[in-house]
């Protein structure tokens, strides 16, 4: 008995070990089952867990992680079959049995919300090869996998709505081909296409960080620079929604884009081989294609500088005036040539105005500024005859606004009635064109950062001039209606809660209701600028400064829900100043009330979109500035 018990409890190395069931062997647990019985009962562990107790001689332990990965892959494959909306997959008969088909990609407002697609989280990347005729493959980035149906929808939305505003890609390119050529450009198309993808509203937010990291990595990648530059152009034009914890990188990426283009020799497209490691014979149309991409780079960089209220000080005219490049630029479509000339005019105007010394101008300098603005305005007027579309005329009008708001840099004694009327007319015309384009083409759905920034600049300038000393000489009804339309447009451009469009509309609403904006401490009107180093963005940044002093200063903080504009020294024509834009009129008919919105979006951290400082303090005491010693 003692020997038998000892042998069961501690069998010798040479003795035969007791057999265990498959489940206990898998888990490496002690098994008390008896395999020698004719009909062995379940062991105590299997009996407790109510699972089959199987004694099998040929046993191979399954690796848990491997098994989990196999299950994930199997589940992903099944979901791909069920959710794939690719017509090519059905046409080619990629599955042995016909899977349920989803409707073709449609406009966001037509998408069925009953069966929204899902995202699959994976830790592996797919490297399957693909070709033009193969069905769209699933793609993953940072553990976020998109099934073919979502990819096809986003590509369709991009080329249907956004491509016409910036046609730098081939609309016949398939997702598989674009991914093989440039994953960065592929994910940019997905990110832009999903901006209003109602079937998956959180996709844009999920792509923001990984795609931005791809943009930063593209700076040091050596292959396919043309595709990487196109990706940066798209990212700067339609950046991800920024917020308190995500600073808008457009201005920095704009400079990177310009330097990448010059490093590749796009500024001298006829002699681009001088910047290549090896000499290759270029196709006949290649210099024209490079000149076109160079034009888009210059236009994008200039708009990025203007949108960030920075001067474009790069002397690109030294290259643009070369005979070889000018001949190639003449071969480009009219729209590109018009926008390219606009960029050149604004760049030269900024340099000339900075040379005057805007910070403190004498009467002679102010007269010189008048002459400069008139001369550059005449150049813009000449482009009207060349403009072939309403979009060309819109960009010309925005350029006029960039010039005309420079009158705000005059002193309080020299800013006369005529200057105020000119500012009002040009600003009103810009808002009218944006309003009409939004009505006819749903501009808010595809609005670029450049157009949205100029809309907010228009609202700031219009509020300043309507509350100024010459308000009685202006068309109040027209101004009030356009301000209301501009606020609604900015709100409708919002693609994510608390983004630039929503915050801009909230800011304009508070600005309109403020009783302290454009006022001296004694209550007198003062519309001169204190911020005098931001060129055409000065009126907007000056309003931001006034807003911060009024609404973020604890001593002056107060509620704005019931404020009304003082109507002192105004004629009967200005009686609507406190009634036209009340809390109920802003964004009427939309799903969001500006005045009822929480003020958490309007704080000191939201102005990174406007290129303000990284912090509110420039104290150098704690920083390392040993090089200054």
């Amino acid at each position: 008995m003692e020997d038998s018990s000892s042998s069961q409890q501690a069998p010798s190395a040479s003795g035969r070990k007791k057999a265990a069931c498959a489940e206990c062997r898998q888990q490496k647990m002690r098994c008390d089952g008896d395999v020698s019985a004719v009909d062995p009962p379940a062991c105590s562990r299997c009996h407790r867990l109510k699972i089959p107790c199987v004694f099998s001689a040929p046993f191979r332990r399954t690796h848990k992680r491997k098994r989990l990965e196999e299950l994930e892959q199997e589940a992903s494959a099944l979901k791909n079959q069920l959710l794939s909306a690719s017509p090519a997959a059905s046409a080619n008969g990629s599955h042995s049995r016909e899977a349920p088909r989803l409707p073709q990609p449609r406009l966001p407002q037509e998408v069925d919300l009953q069966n929204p697609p899902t995202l699959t989280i994976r830790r592996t990347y797919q490297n399957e090869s693909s070709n033009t005729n193969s069905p769209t493959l699933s793609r993953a980035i940072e553990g976020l996998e998109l099934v073919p149906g979502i990819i096809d929808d986003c590509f369709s939305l991009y080329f249907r709505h956004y491509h016409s505003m910036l046609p730098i890609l081939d609309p016949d390119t398939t997702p598989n081909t674009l991914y093989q050529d440039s994953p960065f450009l592929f994910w940019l198309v997905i990110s832009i296409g999903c901006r209003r993808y109602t079937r998956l509203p959180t996709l844009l937010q999920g792509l923001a960080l990984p795609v931005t990291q791809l943009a930063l990595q593209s700076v040091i990648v050596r292959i396919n620079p043309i595709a990487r530059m196109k990706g940066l152009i798209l990212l700067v034009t339609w950046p991800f929604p920024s917020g308190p914890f995500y600073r808008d990188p457009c201005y920095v990426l704009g400079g990177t884009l310009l330097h990448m283009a010059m490093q590749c020799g796009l500024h001298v497209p006829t002699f681009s081989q001088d910047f290549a490691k090896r000499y290759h014979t270029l196709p006949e149309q290649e210099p024209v294609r490079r000149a076109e991409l160079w034009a888009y780079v210059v236009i994008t960089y200039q708009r990025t500088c203007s949108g960030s209220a920075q001067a474009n000080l790069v002397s690109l005219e030294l290259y643009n005036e070369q005979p070889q490049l000018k001949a190639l630029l003449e071969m480009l479509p009219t729209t590109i040539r018009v926008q390219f000339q606009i960029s050149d005019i604004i760049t030269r105007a900024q340099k000339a105005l900075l040379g005057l010394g805007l910070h403190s101008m004498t009467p002679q300098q102010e007269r010189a500024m008048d002459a400069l603005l008139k001369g550059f305005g005449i150049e813009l007027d000449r482009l009207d005859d060349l403009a072939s579309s309403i979009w060309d005329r819109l960009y010309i009008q925005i350029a006029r606004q960039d010039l005309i708001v420079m009158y705000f840099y005059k002193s309080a004694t020299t800013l006369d009635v005529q200057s105020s009327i000119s500012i009002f007319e040009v600003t009103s015309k810009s808002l009218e064109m944006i309003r009409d384009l939004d009505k006819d083409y749903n501009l808010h759905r595809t609005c670029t950062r450049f157009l949205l920034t100029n809309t907010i600049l228009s609202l700031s300038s219009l509020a300043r001039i309507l509350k100024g000393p010459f308000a009685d000489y202006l068309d109040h009804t027209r101004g009030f209606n356009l301000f209301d339309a501009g606020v609604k447009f900015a709100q409708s451009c919002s693609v994510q809660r608390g983004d630039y469009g929503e915050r801009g509309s909230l800011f304009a609403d508070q600005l309109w209701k403020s009783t302290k904006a454009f006022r001296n401490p004694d209550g007198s009107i003062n519309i001169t600028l204190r911020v005098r180093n931001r060129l055409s963005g000065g009126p907007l940044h000056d309003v931001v400064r006034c807003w911060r002093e009024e609404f973020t200063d604890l001593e002056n903080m107060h509620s704005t829900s019931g404020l009304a504009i003082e109507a002192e020294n105004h004629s009967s024509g200005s009686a609507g100043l406190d009634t036209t834009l009340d809390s109920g009129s802003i964004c009427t008919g939309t799903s969001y009330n500006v005045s009822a919105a929480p003020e958490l979006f309007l704080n000191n951290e939201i102005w990174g979109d406007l290129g303000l400082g990284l912090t509110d303090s420039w104290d150098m005491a704690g920083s390392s500035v040993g090089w200054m010693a």
Side-chain angles (χ1 to χ4, degrees), residues 470-511:
F470 307 107
D472 293 340
Y473 299 91
L474 307 176
D475 187 348
H476 297 89
T477 303
R478 180 189 180 192
F480 303 151
N481 292 337
L482 288 176
F483 192 92
D484 182 37
V487 172
K488 291 180 180 179
F489 175 78
Q491 173 62 33
S492 63
C493 290
S494 174
V495 296
Q496 183 176 298
R497 178 82 172 186
D499 62 1
Y500 188 33
E502 184 175 33
R503 297 196 311 269
S505 62
L506 293 174
F507 164 71
D509 180 46
Q510 288 191 352
L511 171 65

Side-chain angles (χ1 to χ4, degrees), residues 211-483:
V211 176
T212 303
Q213 291 176 345
L214 280 182
L216 300 178
Q217 294 172 5
S218 67
V219 178
I220 60 176
V221 177
R222 302 179 61 179
I223 60 174
N224 205 351
I226 300 299
R228 289 184 283 117
M229 283 185 284
K230 290 181 179 180
L232 290 178
I233 291 175
L234 293 178
L235 180 58
V236 170
T237 304
W238 290 286
F240 289 99
S242 58
F245 306 103
Y246 181 83
R247 184 174 176 83
D248 182 17
C250 288
Y251 182 64
V252 177
L253 293 179
T256 302
L257 170 64
L258 180 65
H259 291 164
M260 288 178 61
M262 299 184 69
Q263 189 177 38
C264 295
L266 293 185
H267 58 298
V268 284
T270 307
F271 307 102
S272 296
Q273 297 292 359
D274 296 344
F275 296 84
K277 290 184 177 180
R278 298 179 181 179
Y279 184 84
H280 299 282
T281 303
L282 297 178
E284 182 179 357
Q285 292 297 322
E286 185 63 22
V288 179
R289 293 172 55 190
R290 297 194 178 196
E292 181 179 2
L293 184 58
W294 170 251
Y296 279 118
V297 169
V298 172
I299 294 169
T300 302
Y301 178 68
Q302 183 272 317
R303 291 178 181 174
T304 303
C305 291
S306 297
S308 301
Q310 300 282 0
N312 178 6
L313 299 179
V314 181
S315 298
L316 299 177
E317 61 268 15
L318 299 177
Y319 296 105
N320 298 337
E321 294 298 325
Q322 294 183 5
Q324 297 86 354
L325 180 56
K326 291 185 66 174
L328 293 175
L329 293 176
E330 291 297 326
M331 302 171 64
L332 299 181
T334 302
T335 297
I336 302 179
R337 287 189 283 122
V338 169
Q339 297 182 28
F340 189 82
Q341 293 183 41
I342 293 174
S343 299
D344 177 68
I345 294 173
I346 294 300
T347 299
R348 290 187 287 108
Q350 290 174 345
K351 294 179 181 179
L353 292 171
L354 284 177
L356 291 177
L358 297 175
H359 192 270
S360 178
M361 290 193 296
T362 63
Q364 293 79 6
Q365 290 174 321
E366 291 186 357
R367 288 192 292 270
M369 183 181 71
D370 291 339
L372 286 174
L373 295 178
K374 183 178 180 180
F376 288 117
I378 293 175
E379 292 188 41
L380 290 175
D381 293 339
R382 293 171 182 168
L383 292 180
D384 283 329
D385 298 333
L386 186 61
S388 59
S389 66
I390 184 62
W391 301 101
D392 297 338
R393 291 189 286 274
L394 172 64
Y395 290 119
I396 293 174
Q397 187 63 30
I398 290 176
R400 288 195 183 98
Q401 178 178 273
D402 284 345
L403 296 179
I404 206 68
V405 296
M406 297 300 296
Y407 282 133
F408 282 124
Y409 284 87
K410 290 186 173 183
S411 62
T413 57
T414 56
L415 182 60
D416 54 7
V417 177
Q418 187 60 42
S419 298
S420 299
I421 294 177
S422 299
I423 295 173
F424 176 79
E425 290 296 330
V426 173
T427 304
S428 299
K429 182 62 175 178
S430 299
L431 288 174
E432 285 174 346
M433 296 184 72
I434 290 177
R435 178 199 61 191
D436 295 341
L437 285 172
D438 187 44
K439 180 180 179 180
D440 297 336
Y441 301 99
N442 286 327
L443 178 61
H444 69 278
R445 304 190 65 85
T446 58
C447 184
T448 63
R449 172 59 63 86
F450 175 70
L451 293 178
L452 179 57
T453 301
N454 277 276
T455 300
I456 299 177
L457 171 62
S458 300
L459 294 175
S460 301
S461 301
L462 195 60
R464 181 182 294 270
I465 207 70
L466 287 175
K467 294 185 178 183
F470 307 107
D472 293 340
Y473 299 91
L474 307 176
D475 187 348
H476 297 89
T477 303
R478 180 189 180 192
F480 303 151
N481 292 337
L482 288 176
F483 192 92

Side-chain angles (χ1 to χ4, degrees), residues 109-157:
Q109 61 268 24
E110 299 174 351
V111 175
D112 185 12
L113 301 180
Q114 298 299 325
N115 298 307
T118 58
L119 288 180
T120 304
I121 304 300
R122 293 184 59 184
R123 298 182 179 274
T124 59
Y125 290 85
Q126 297 193 8
N127 298 318
E128 297 90 342
S129 61
S130 60
N131 52 61
T132 304
N133 297 324
S134 63
T136 303
L137 300 177
S138 300
R139 302 296 178 184
I141 179 172
E142 294 295 331
L144 179 66
E145 183 185 11
L146 300 186
V147 297
I150 298 176
I151 295 175
D152 290 336
D153 283 348
C154 292
F155 264 70
S156 177
L157 290 172

Side-chain angles (χ1 to χ4, degrees), residues 12 21 63 66 124 160 218 326 432 465 496 536 549 580:
S12 62
C21 67
H63 197 279
K66 182 178 180 180
T124 59
R160 184 185 305 166
S218 67
K326 291 185 66 174
E432 285 174 346
I465 207 70
Q496 183 176 298
S536 60
E549 291 177 353
T580 304

Side-chain angles (χ1 to χ4, degrees), residues 608-622:
D609 300 281
L610 300 178
L612 296 182
L614 293 173
T615 62
D616 290 337
S617 174
W618 278 90
D619 185 12
M620 303 287 286

